[in-house]
Amino acid sequence: MTDGATPDNAVVIETDRLLLRPWRAAEAVVQRELWTERDPRVPPRRRIDADGRPTVAELEDSIRTDEVWSSGLLAVERKGSHDVIGYCGLVDTGRGSAGEPELAFELLRRVWGRGYATEAASAVLDRARSSGHERLWATVWDWNTASRRVLAKLGFTETGHTEVNPAHGTTLFTTKRL
């Protein structure tokens, strides 16, 4: 893995197969596709609503104005084909302890099962470690077996803390010492 920054000091992380970098507004169509693919058990605020929102234009605006898309949740680009297949990164959602960001990742269904999520997340963990973080955490729905497997491969363990939502399932809290 190599780690660098673009001229504007944006984070760029490179692995053998992937480049993790800030989003470009033109890639809002990929974000929209992620929104359309989400499991129906995901809460409505994280799915396309009855009015078709968020729109590609709204997502483009979010990429341009929201710092999370430039420094937190990085676009995951495959080096060979130069296509963006999802995101991975660290975010401060306010749900964890101070100084302990949350690992988040989401990839398009068509690339599931190829190890990209594990590879991208592992690179983000390496960067977090080298940046001085001592512990990270991640949340995952109890029914999301694929993401639970990725977190287990990365060495995250369940804390026993959960949040139950009768309509959507149970959120499991996991953590990892770096």
Side-chain angles (χ1 to χ4, degrees):
M1 177 194 79
T2 61
D3 180 7
T6 60
D8 60 358
N9 292 327
V11 173
V12 176
I13 304 170
E14 187 174 345
T15 72
D16 289 342
R17 300 184 299 165
L18 304 171
L19 183 66
L20 283 72
R21 55 155 178 84
W23 285 84
R24 299 175 185 132
E27 295 161 346
V29 293
V30 176
Q31 289 187 8
R32 183 77 164 45
E33 187 176 351
L34 288 166
W35 279 75
T36 63
E37 290 185 346
R38 289 192 177 134
D39 190 286
R41 293 171 286 190
V42 171
R45 65 180 171 74
R46 298 270 300 137
R47 294 192 321 253
I48 302 295
D49 70 16
D51 296 325
R53 300 182 84 175
T55 64
V56 170
E58 289 168 331
L59 292 167
E60 286 173 347
D61 187 53
S62 177
I63 291 169
R64 284 188 198 97
T65 61
D66 191 342
E67 190 175 313
V68 75
W69 297 116
S70 63
S71 62
L73 297 177
L74 302 170
V76 176
E77 177 184 318
R78 291 191 290 189
K79 285 179 171 180
S81 55
H82 303 288
D83 59 331
V84 174
I85 58 173
Y87 64 80
C88 185
L90 300 178
V91 291
D92 182 6
T93 61
R95 293 169 73 182
S97 300
E100 294 179 358
E102 179 176 3
L103 173 68
F105 55 88
E106 183 177 15
L107 299 181
L108 295 169
R109 290 178 186 247
R110 68 176 172 265
V111 299
W112 287 4
R114 298 181 191 171
Y116 294 129
T118 303
E119 183 174 337
S122 180
V124 167
L125 293 178
D126 288 345
R127 171 139 172 97
R129 186 179 301 107
S130 69
S131 297
H133 290 286
E134 295 179 7
R135 190 171 82 144
L136 299 178
W137 61 284
T139 57
V140 62
W141 293 104
D142 60 346
W143 46 261
N144 189 341
T145 55
S147 290
R148 289 177 74 182
R149 277 194 302 271
V150 169
L151 291 171
K153 286 180 199 174
L154 296 169
F156 280 78
T157 57
E158 292 182 21
T159 65
H161 176 70
T162 62
E163 290 178 358
V164 178
N165 181 312
H168 303 290
T170 301
T171 299
L172 307 173
F173 285 70
T174 67
T175 189
K176 175 177 176 62
R177 283 225 163 272
L178 297 178

